[in-house]
Amino acid sequence: MTKDNSYHVAVVGATGAVGQKMIKMLEESNLPISTLKLLSSKRSAGTKVDFKGKELIVEEATDESFTGIDIALFSAGGSVSKRFAPEAVKRGAVVIDNTSAYRMDEQVPLVVPEVNSEDLESHQGIIANPNCSTIQMVAALKPIQDAFGLSRVIVSTYQAVSGAGTQAVEELRDQTRQFLAEEEVTATILPVKGAEKHYPIAFNALPQIDVFQENGYTFEEMKMINETRKILHRQDLSVAATCVRLPFFTSHAESVYIEIEQSGIETEAIRHVLQEADGVILQDDPLTQTYPTPQSSAGKKEVFVGRVRKDLDHPNGFHLWVVSDNLLKGAAWNSVQIAEKLMEKNLLLHEK
Ligand code: L14
């Protein structure tokens, strides 16, 4: 920290889809930043990036890059976080990690500021940013859990390609053009980069995000299940997930079925707690065909909820439609929000 109480910040993975948004969110943040260091792999080093009207040059990350850094935002893949996050902490930085590397580590708080910012207080240098699909779901579930109790969650996702990175975005563009030109469609990235087999995403729906686990669920589905329990402090909560990739660029949508503990609750009461919730915007009116969509939420920081309705069979069952920008609240904005919270709570290591 500098004498005027401003921070030395680093972004690792600065040229990636999330890294770019992190830089934008830092520009919009009220976090006082004295220097911003942009780090990447050797391959992307040298790239020029604009920050608050100044041109910054991306440097290759090394252990020494983190000397003097107060806050390091990581989004360059799990192996980069494993390699450099402990080195950054050793040098006094607090790491906010947007990969799955540390999320389930018991020593590491997994935080959505509107939901469990108190978990930041026990941090030991690394804080994990949850998976994008998990973040938007728990933002909607927390106020419902607080008001009525929650016993079960079943979610199906409709996820944008940008979550899988800039190459997946390019792949959707290329395949869409190929398909419309009636050319052969080439699939080389999705569903999982580097996998044996690829499926086209353009004009398609892929029921696989991330790699399969031994239990038949994908890793994305297991992340939603395990992370939801950890963030809501509910190891007993029943959660099931099906994660599906669809051919649009930005925002994830989710159809969420919940069962609450209290009986006799009407839809209006669920709508009311969502309307009052921090970071959540209710857009729900069948009479005017009002509900959020991936396009309507793109570029916005909040989590949007619509289609709230009571299950027709289970007396405590409700259905919701939850939409948010996967690169903002799902990634970059949530990370920068964590940094703001750490500052507010005086939890940056140089201050501890
Ligand atoms: O776990 O491919 O943070 O859309 C979130 C995006 C994993 C990949 C994570 C995708 C990533 C996922």
Side-chain angles (χ1 to χ4, degrees):
M1 190 165 60
T2 55
K3 287 201 193 73
D4 63 343
N5 284 340
S6 62
Y7 299 101
H8 299 291
V9 178
V11 172
V12 186
T15 60
V18 174
Q20 294 283 311
K21 298 290 182 192
M22 283 173 162
I23 295 164
K24 189 165 169 240
M25 292 298 106
L26 286 169
E27 268 182 338
E28 292 178 13
S29 161
N30 58 25
L31 199 72
I33 299 170
S34 56
T35 60
L36 178 65
K37 192 181 260 193
L38 302 182
L39 301 169
S40 72
S41 63
K42 196 172 190 153
R43 188 168 42 84
S44 303
T47 307
K48 293 179 180 134
V49 176
D50 191 77
F51 179 70
K52 294 188 175 170
K54 269 195 273 172
E55 190 181 85
L56 302 180
I57 298 180
V58 179
E59 301 164 40
E60 182 185 353
T62 65
D63 292 345
E64 284 66 44
S65 308
F66 298 96
T67 304
I69 295 294
D70 301 299
I71 305 166
L73 305 178
F74 276 69
S75 194
S79 55
V80 175
S81 295
K82 286 268 181 212
R83 165 72 183 79
F84 289 110
E87 294 295 332
V89 173
K90 230 185 264 171
R91 287 166 176 74
V94 172
V95 167
I96 302 167
D97 181 32
N98 189 44
T99 75
S100 58
Y102 294 101
R103 286 178 189 151
M104 296 316 297
D105 188 322
E106 277 179 23
Q107 315 297 318
V108 174
L110 181 64
V111 175
V112 179
E114 294 88 342
V115 176
N116 64 332
S117 65
E118 66 283 358
D119 289 347
L120 289 172
E121 278 146 34
S122 63
H123 88 78
Q124 294 171 30
I126 301 178
I127 292 136
N129 191 83
N131 165 271
C132 38
S133 309
T134 309
I135 292 176
Q136 67 183 64
M137 184 169 77
V138 296
L141 294 184
K142 176 64 164 43
I144 298 174
Q145 170 172 285
D146 286 350
F148 310 114
L150 191 64
S151 52
R152 155 161 242 186
V153 179
I154 301 174
V155 55
S156 295
T157 69
Y158 305 72
Q159 297 186 221
V161 294
S162 56
T166 49
Q167 286 177 308
V169 168
E170 282 314 305
E171 179 164 75
L172 174 57
R173 267 187 221 292
D174 291 344
Q175 288 179 354
T176 303
R177 204 184 21 74
Q178 289 165 344
F179 188 96
L180 293 175
E182 293 178 29
E183 289 170 17
E184 194 190 331
V185 171
T186 52
T188 58
I189 305 289
L190 290 169
V192 174
K193 196 174 147 188
E196 287 275 296
K197 192 169 172 181
H198 299 286
Y199 287 91
I201 181 64
F203 303 96
N204 210 356
L206 305 181
Q208 183 191 355
I209 297 182
D210 219 322
V211 294
F212 276 99
Q213 311 291 289
E214 271 177 15
N215 64 4
Y217 285 73
T218 62
F219 189 37
E220 183 81 352
E221 290 160 354
M222 290 314 298
K223 281 182 276 189
M224 285 196 81
I225 294 166
N226 295 325
E227 294 179 21
T228 296
R229 290 182 177 141
K230 176 168 174 176
I231 296 164
L232 294 177
H233 296 281
R234 286 292 307 280
Q235 287 311 315
D236 64 316
L237 186 65
S238 295
V239 190
T242 303
C243 292
V244 180
R245 183 89 62 193
L246 288 184
F248 48 80
F249 294 113
T250 311
S251 295
H252 295 341
E254 302 175 340
S255 167
V256 188
Y257 169 72
I258 57 169
E259 286 167 14
I260 59 173
E261 274 157 14
Q262 277 185 41
S263 298
I265 300 302
E266 291 307 321
T267 304
E268 235 3 86
I270 305 273
R271 285 207 184 99
H272 181 74
V273 299
L274 288 166
Q275 197 150 28
E276 299 293 304
D278 244 11
V280 174
I281 297 181
L282 184 72
Q283 292 182 333
D284 188 19
D285 185 8
L287 285 178
T288 56
Q289 290 177 273
T290 300
Y291 42 76
T293 67
Q295 283 193 15
S296 71
S297 75
K300 308 217 166 84
K301 294 188 178 109
E302 296 85 2
V303 173
F304 298 86
V305 184
R307 302 293 325 276
V308 182
R309 63 207 189 278
K310 205 166 181 162
D311 191 71
L312 298 180
D313 297 304
H314 195 293
N316 294 7
F318 291 87
H319 299 266
L320 323 167
W321 172 248
V322 181
V323 188
S324 190
D325 188 316
N326 59 312
L327 299 180
L328 297 185
K329 185 58 184 167
W333 168 235
N334 197 68
S335 291
V336 170
Q337 225 183 350
I338 290 172
E340 290 179 356
K341 269 277 174 263
L342 289 167
M343 175 183 75
E344 263 172 59
K345 290 175 172 271
N346 290 324
L347 287 169
L348 291 159
L349 287 191
H350 288 161
E351 302 165 339
K352 256 189 164 177

